[in-house]
Amino acid sequence: SLMAANDSASLSIEQMAREIRTGYNFCIGGLTCSAGELTFVNANNYIVTYRWNAADSAIEKGLENANFRKFTADNVKVVNLRFIVSGNQPGDGAPPRITVIIGVGAKGQGVENVVVNVQTTVSARLLDT
């Protein structure tokens, strides 16, 4: 159960990283962010928000600040999610970098107290101007 949940969580993180890599305007221009939420504009010019839903133990994705849907698989229990954004200020000469810190476990008997912590940093391709 734990291995299947880790595989599912890895897939979710990779999909999120791909969208972040081609995104821009991270947490600026009226797009707010907090530790458990990241808002930016994706390559298709949609406002995307990823956020942690603690009640459902899941990551949700919403477009245009609406239509939030569960992003992680049903076998994944997300116990924490944190985004650290740097280099996102226009003219700072640095590409935006988003560090994603996530704690995941599996749903099921015997593994509910096992948590794997994963951290990755994604650098956006577009340099903010």
Side-chain angles (χ1 to χ4, degrees):
S1 293
L2 187 57
M3 287 174 53
N6 283 339
D7 288 344
S8 295
S10 293
L11 179 61
S12 295
I13 292 168
E14 181 56 34
Q15 289 173 334
M16 197 179 343
R18 274 190 232 136
E19 193 163 30
I20 290 169
R21 201 171 289 121
T22 59
Y24 61 97
N25 283 353
F26 295 89
C27 310
I28 62 172
L31 303 179
T32 59
C33 293
S34 63
E37 184 174 298
L38 176 69
T39 303
F40 61 97
V41 179
N42 71 6
N44 295 321
N45 292 318
Y46 290 109
I47 296 173
V48 175
T49 301
Y50 287 102
R51 69 182 184 189
W52 178 43
N53 182 329
D56 288 339
S57 299
I59 298 174
E60 296 179 329
K61 177 183 176 181
L63 292 177
E64 303 296 323
N65 293 317
N67 301 320
F68 281 91
R69 298 199 174 148
K70 189 174 176 183
F71 185 69
T72 47
D74 290 336
N75 65 332
V76 177
K77 178 176 73 174
V78 179
V79 297
N80 61 59
L81 176 67
R82 186 169 172 217
F83 297 100
I84 301 171
V85 181
S86 62
N88 62 322
Q89 296 303 313
D92 63 7
R97 290 173 33 131
I98 295 81
T99 300
V100 182
I101 304 167
I102 183 171
V104 296
K107 294 181 180 176
Q109 290 186 339
V111 292
E112 58 272 340
N113 293 326
V114 178
V115 176
V116 175
N117 293 302
V118 179
Q119 176 176 320
T120 188
T121 299
V122 182
S123 179
R125 291 181 180 160
L126 297 176
L127 181 66
D128 48 4
T129 55

